[in-house]
Amino acid sequence: MKFMNKFSFRLNTCILFVHLLTTFLLFSLTIKTVSRSIKSGFIDQARTTSGLVANQIGNADIHNRPDQLKLLLEDLLVAGNVTYAAVANENNKIIYTTNPENDKYFKEDFVFDNSKDNTYYIAVPFFNRTGNPAGTLKLGFCEELIHEDLHQINKQILIITISYIMVVALLIILVSSRLTRPLNDLRLLAKEVVNNHYKSIYTRSKIQEIADLAENLEEMRTQLVARQKTLADREYYTSTIINNMADAMLTFNEHGYIQDTNTVVKDLFGYPQTKLRTMMITDLIEQPLSVLRQGVISGGGENTTPIQEATAFKIDNHSFHIEYVISKINFSGKDTYIILIRDVSERKQAEEKLYRSANFDTLTNLPNRNLFYDRLEHAMSVASRNETLLAVIFIDLDHFKIINDTLGHAAGDKLLQEVSLRLNSIIRKSDTVARLGGDEFVIILESLSTVHPISNTASKIINSLHKPFLIQDQEIFVTPSIGISIYPFGGVHADDLVVEADIAMYRAKRRGRNTYEFYTQKMNARSIARLNIETSLRHALEKEEYVLYYQPQYDIIKNRMIGMEALLRWNNGLRGLVSPAEFIPILEETGLIIEVGNWVIESSIKQIAEWMEQYKHVPKVAINISARQFDTNDLPLQIEKILTKYNVPAAQLEIEVTESEIMNDLDQTSKQLNALHNLGISIALDDFGTGHSSLVYLKNYPIDTIKIDKSFINNLCYDQSNQAITRAIIAIAQALEMDTLAEGVETQEQEAWLKSHQCSLIQGYLFARPMPVENISVLLNMPQLS
C-alpha cells in the first residue's frame, strides 16, 4: 500500500476525484433535466388529448348516445397510449367504462409516476352545447413507454460519461507524470545521497519550482555534509576522551538496561560490550534501580547525584568497592542515565588498613587503646541515658615477662593471641575486649542491671585462662590478675574508670595474683599514696635521700664476720626512713631500679675502697641485683669499670640474684653471671626454694652460695616441713660444693639447729641488724663474735 502515499498517486487521485465529482454532477443534472422535460411533455400531451376528447363528447352530445360513446372510447384505447377510459354524468355516475375495476380506485394525478399501476389518471369535465356541465371524462395514460424512453436516454448518457472520464483520466495521468517525474528523480537522488553524501542533487526540469527545490536540496546537502563532518570530529574527540578517561562510563534507560559503555567498563568488569548491552545496571552494581535513580529524581532540579559508594561485581562474581555518580539527560524524548564508576578498592583497603592500624592491635586484632576509649565513652553515655551499669575489667597476665624472655617473643606473641581468643569467647557480642599494650587487656561490659554478671565474667576469665596453652609444642600456664571498676559508682570519666580498674588489678596482684578485685575508695587512697611515693622516688637520687645499710654475715664455726649485705634504704625528707617493702616494688615497676641499682653498685664499691684504706681485713660485700639490671646487657662491663675505678678486687664483691630474676631470661642471665664470675665476683642465689626452684639452675649457673630464705628459718625448731626443706637445701649445696647461708636467724635455737646440721653461715637479727656505715666501723675493728 506504499504506492498510495506517493505524490503522483495522490495528485492523480485528487484531480480525478474532482473531475469525477464534476462529471457526476453534470450527468445528474442532465438526466434530471431530460427526465423532467419528457415527463412534462407526457403530462401536457395527456391533458391536451383529454381536453380534445372531452370537447368532442360535449359538443356532439355523444354522452347521450351510448353506441357512439363506446365506439369513441374503445378507439382511444386502440389508437394511443390510453389504457383506461370512462364517462360519468353530472352526478358522477359512470355512464360507460372500459375497465370497471379502475372505477373504484380512480384518483386524478397531478404529477408523473404517482400511481402504483404505472398509469397517469386525468379527469376532465365536459359541457353540452348550452355550456352547462354535462359530465366528466376520465382517462388513464400508460407511463411505461415513458420509463423505457428515459432508461434508453440514461444509458446513452452514462456510456458517454464513462468514455469521457476514461479519456480525461488518461490525460491526467499523462500530464501529472510529466510533472512528477522530475520530483521522483529528485527523490531518487536524495535517496542516493543518504548513502553517498558527496553526490550532488540536480534536475533537468525547466519548471521553476522544481529547479528551486533541487537547488535548495543541494544547499541543504552541502550544509549537512559540513555539519556531519563537524559532528564526526566532535564524536571522535568525545569518544577519545571517554575511552581514555580513568573512570568507567555507562548509559542505561529508565528500566535499568545498559545502552552504551566506554572501553574502561570491559577492563573493570570483564564483560564484552556485546554482553553488557544485554544486561541491567543492577547486574553490575549491588544497588536497587530505585536507589540508583532516586538521587537524580529527588535532586530538586539537579540532574546529578552526589558521589556515592556501593559494591560491584566482576564477571567472575568477585566483589569490589566503587564510587559512582549518576546524571540524567533527556535523549530522543526518553530519560537516559549516565553513570561514572571508579574502582576505589585500593583506597578502601588503604583506608581500612589505616583505620585498623589506628584502632586495632596488629598482633591480636583486638581494639587498641584509641578505639577502646572511644567505645568506653560511648558506652558510658548509653549507660547514663538508660540508667544501667557498666564495668571495666582490667586484666594483667602474671609473670608474662618470664614466659616472653624464656621462650622468646614469638612464643609470647602467640600466647597473647591465644589469650585474646579465649577472652573473646567469654564475653557477649555487645561487649568489648581490647589490648592496651604488653600483656594488659581491658573488657567493657555494657547494659548491666546488677553487679552479679561482672563477678561471673571475672570468674570465667580466670577459669578460661587456667587451662594450659600449647605454644611451640610446650604447655604454658598463665594466670590473670584482674581489677574491676563500675560506672556510675566510680569515676565519671573514661580515664578515671581505667585508672580505678588498674588500681584494683594491682590490689589483686598483691593478694597473690590469679584473682579479681573490685575498686574501692580505700584503694584510691592507697593509689594516691603510691603515686606520691613514686613522685618522691623520682627525685630521691638527686636529693641524695638514698642510703646504704649493711647487715653482717657470720661464720658461727669460725666465730667471725665473713661478709656484709648492702641494703638500700630511703631516708625521705618528710617521712624519714621508708620501709624497703614499700618503695622497692615501686622502683621495680617504674624502672627506676636500674638507675638506683647502678648507684648502689658504685656506692658499695666506693665504700669497700674506703674501708680497705682503713682496715686490714674487709669482708666481701653482697649486692642485690634486680632483673631489670640484667636487661641492660652490659652489667659485667659496668661493674668491672667501677671496680677498676676504685681499685677494688673483684673477690671483695658478691652478687645476689633471686630465682625469679634468673627465670626472666635464662640465656642472657647465664651469660652475664658467667662473665661476672670470671671476673672473680662470687654469686649467691637468694630466696632459694621460694620461686621456680630447679636443680638445673644450680648445675648450669656459677652459683657459689645458696641463701636459705627466712620463710624456712621461721618456726624451724617446730615445723618439720621447714626442717626437711632446710636439710635438703644444705645437702644439695654440700653435694655441689656450695656454701649455704641462712637468712633471718633470730633465736639461739635456730642457730643451734643450723649448726648441728652443718650450716655455719648465718645472717639475722640474732647477731646484727642492718646498720648505717658508721656503725660498721666498730665491727671491722673487732670482726670476731663476742
Side-chain angles (χ1 to χ4, degrees), residues 438-455:
D439 60 336
E440 294 179 340
F441 296 87
V442 192
I443 295 177
I444 305 172
L445 299 181
E446 301 185 47
S447 304
L448 303 173
S449 56
T450 65
V451 297
H452 176 70
I454 303 173
S455 56

Side-chain angles (χ1 to χ4, degrees), residues 610-635:
E610 291 177 1
W611 282 335
M612 289 179 65
E613 290 178 358
Q614 300 175 32
Y615 305 101
K616 288 184 178 181
H617 174 71
V618 179
K620 65 182 178 182
V621 176
I623 302 172
N624 290 282
I625 300 296
S626 167
R628 292 273 187 116
Q629 290 175 272
F630 283 108
D631 292 341
T632 59
N633 297 326
D634 61 349
L635 182 63

Side-chain angles (χ1 to χ4, degrees), residues 82-147:
V82 177
T83 60
Y84 166 76
V87 176
N89 57 22
E90 64 271 14
N91 296 323
N92 203 26
K93 181 179 179 181
I94 297 298
I95 300 173
Y96 178 79
T97 178
T98 62
N99 191 350
E101 279 298 320
N102 287 356
D103 294 339
K104 300 176 182 179
Y105 308 104
F106 178 87
K107 183 179 179 181
E108 186 178 9
D109 292 321
F110 296 96
V111 293
F112 185 80
D113 204 13
N114 190 42
S115 62
K116 295 180 180 180
D117 55 357
N118 290 325
T119 302
Y120 183 81
Y121 293 101
I122 299 175
V124 179
F126 58 88
F127 302 91
N128 55 25
R129 290 188 182 98
T130 61
N132 294 320
T136 302
L137 173 64
K138 297 179 181 180
L139 295 178
F141 294 88
C142 180
E143 295 177 344
E144 288 182 1
L145 295 176
I146 302 302
H147 282 298

Side-chain angles (χ1 to χ4, degrees), residues 5 65 229 232-233 297-298 310 388 399 402 694 699:
N5 294 322
R65 293 193 290 271
K229 185 177 184 307
D233 292 342
I297 294 173
S298 60
T388 56
H399 305 300
I402 296 174
S694 174
K699 176 185 176 183

Side-chain angles (χ1 to χ4, degrees), residues 634-684:
D634 61 349
L635 182 63
L637 180 61
Q638 179 186 356
I639 292 177
E640 184 182 12
K641 287 181 179 180
I642 298 173
L643 288 172
T644 302
K645 176 181 178 181
Y646 292 105
N647 197 26
V648 173
Q652 286 295 131
L653 193 64
E654 183 176 70
I655 298 297
E656 288 192 11
V657 293
T658 63
E659 290 177 280
S660 59
E661 289 165 354
I662 292 176
M663 281 292 295
N664 277 345
D665 191 334
L666 295 176
D667 292 338
Q668 181 67 18
T669 305
S670 175
K671 290 178 183 178
Q672 297 198 64
L673 287 178
N674 279 302
L676 291 169
H677 199 263
N678 292 336
L679 291 175
I681 299 172
S682 59
I683 308 297

Side-chain angles (χ1 to χ4, degrees), residues 375 427-432 444-447:
R375 291 188 179 180
I427 64 168
R428 303 167 300 176
K429 290 185 178 180
S430 58
D431 299 326
T432 297
I444 305 172
L445 299 181
E446 301 185 47
S447 304

Side-chain angles (χ1 to χ4, degrees), residues 358-603:
N359 295 281
F360 287 88
D361 176 52
T362 55
L363 178 63
T364 62
N365 286 326
L366 294 177
N368 62 10
R369 181 183 297 272
N370 184 43
L371 183 56
F372 164 76
Y373 273 100
D374 183 66
R375 291 188 179 180
L376 179 56
E377 289 173 356
H378 177 265
M380 291 174 68
S381 65
V382 172
S384 176
R385 184 169 60 251
N386 297 338
E387 297 183 353
T388 56
L389 302 180
L390 176 149
V392 173
I393 301 178
F394 199 106
I395 305 166
D396 185 86
L397 303 181
D398 301 327
H399 305 300
F400 174 75
K401 188 175 186 302
I402 296 174
I403 298 171
N404 207 29
D405 294 341
T406 303
L407 300 179
H409 291 287
D413 290 346
K414 182 63 177 175
L415 177 61
L416 291 174
Q417 291 172 341
E418 294 294 328
V419 168
S420 68
L421 292 175
R422 291 193 187 181
L423 293 177
N424 253 328
S425 67
I426 293 171
I427 64 168
R428 303 167 300 176
K429 290 185 178 180
S430 58
D431 299 326
T432 297
V433 180
R435 181 183 176 221
L436 297 186
D439 60 336
E440 294 179 340
F441 296 87
V442 192
I443 295 177
I444 305 172
L445 299 181
E446 301 185 47
S447 304
L448 303 173
S449 56
T450 65
V451 297
H452 176 70
I454 303 173
S455 56
N456 197 19
T457 301
S459 298
K460 286 182 180 179
I461 294 170
I462 294 173
N463 293 334
S464 175
L465 299 183
H466 178 72
K467 301 173 185 177
F469 294 87
L470 187 62
I471 308 293
Q472 296 179 352
D473 298 327
Q474 181 175 344
E475 283 191 344
I476 296 177
F477 293 87
V478 67
T479 59
S481 294
I482 301 173
I484 303 170
S485 61
I486 302 175
Y487 177 84
F489 301 149
V492 295
H493 301 292
D495 287 334
D496 298 337
L497 284 176
V498 176
V499 169
E500 291 169 357
D502 187 37
I503 293 171
M505 183 272 294
Y506 277 105
R507 173 64 177 168
K509 281 190 178 294
R510 287 191 291 271
R511 282 189 55 205
R513 308 174 193 272
N514 198 29
T515 187
Y516 63 87
E517 281 282 339
F518 283 91
Y519 171 79
T520 63
Q521 288 295 331
K522 189 176 180 180
M523 290 182 188
N524 191 40
R526 286 197 296 268
S527 179
I528 293 173
R530 182 186 181 283
L531 184 61
N532 291 333
I533 292 174
E534 181 181 331
T535 303
S536 299
L537 285 173
R538 293 186 183 278
H539 302 286
L541 199 60
E542 62 186 56
K543 291 182 178 180
E544 299 182 348
E545 292 181 346
Y546 292 117
V547 294
L548 290 177
Y549 275 46
Y550 298 89
Q551 187 174 26
Q553 299 169 339
Y554 290 94
D555 185 335
I556 57 176
I557 300 297
K558 296 180 180 179
N559 200 30
R560 67 185 181 87
M561 184 170 64
I562 52 91
M564 293 175 283
E565 181 179 3
L567 300 170
L568 180 64
R569 295 293 184 266
W570 178 30
N571 189 12
N572 182 258
L574 297 176
R575 302 177 60 188
L577 279 176
V578 181
S579 170
E582 190 174 351
F583 74 87
I584 288 181
I586 298 176
L587 290 177
E588 292 277 2
E589 293 168 11
T590 58
L592 292 171
I593 192 66
I594 296 176
E595 186 179 4
V596 175
N598 293 337
W599 178 85
V600 170
I601 292 171
E602 182 158 3
S603 297

